[in-house]
Amino acid sequence: MLMAATVLSALVALVFLLAGAQKVLLRRSVAANLLRLGVGPAPTRLIGALEIAGALGLVAGLWFKPLAVAAAAGLTLLLIGAVGYHLRARDFAHRRHRSHAVAPVALAMVTATTTALLLTTS
């Protein structure tokens, strides 16, 4: 179980490091999608910084487990917020935006699983 938690933490950290960097750098496609949801440039950068911090927390958590648990739980909460924004925009009903809406749901399930695995291996 410890190996599964470690591998999942590393994969989640990589995903959020890349996603966070795109938001901090205000990559055009990412910023445009968030702007459509009502999130301006400053909050987009903040979200990106939080994602990067969560990724770094997961990596540092390889040596200090409580940090990994907190980082995974924080990323899960961040994703729950993202799902709320997509629900508000009714993205699940529109074929064009559905993939943008499903991604946070899937990632929230993965980060919640990571949190549970980290808690059981503590």
Side-chain angles (χ1 to χ4, degrees):
M1 186 89 73
L2 179 62
M3 180 61 82
T6 302
V7 169
L8 203 51
S9 292
L11 290 173
V12 168
L14 181 62
V15 167
F16 278 101
L17 187 62
L18 296 173
Q22 290 184 26
K23 289 177 183 82
V24 167
L25 296 172
L26 290 178
R27 295 281 311 254
R28 190 173 314 203
S29 60
V30 174
N33 185 48
L34 285 166
L35 194 58
R36 182 185 61 77
L37 293 173
V39 181
T44 296
R45 283 196 164 127
L46 176 62
I47 291 167
L50 291 172
E51 289 177 348
I52 291 170
L56 295 176
L58 284 171
V59 172
L62 294 173
W63 295 276
F64 185 63
K65 192 71 71 181
L67 185 57
V69 173
L75 289 170
T76 302
L77 292 173
L78 187 69
L79 288 165
I80 290 170
V83 171
Y85 270 84
H86 285 285
L87 283 170
R88 187 181 71 179
R90 295 183 170 32
D91 283 350
F92 292 96
H94 296 92
R95 177 179 284 185
R96 181 175 176 207
H97 301 297
R98 194 170 296 144
S99 64
H100 293 289
V102 171
V105 173
L107 278 173
M109 291 190 310
V110 171
T111 57
T113 302
T114 303
T115 305
L117 281 173
L118 288 166
L119 282 170
T120 59
T121 60
S122 296

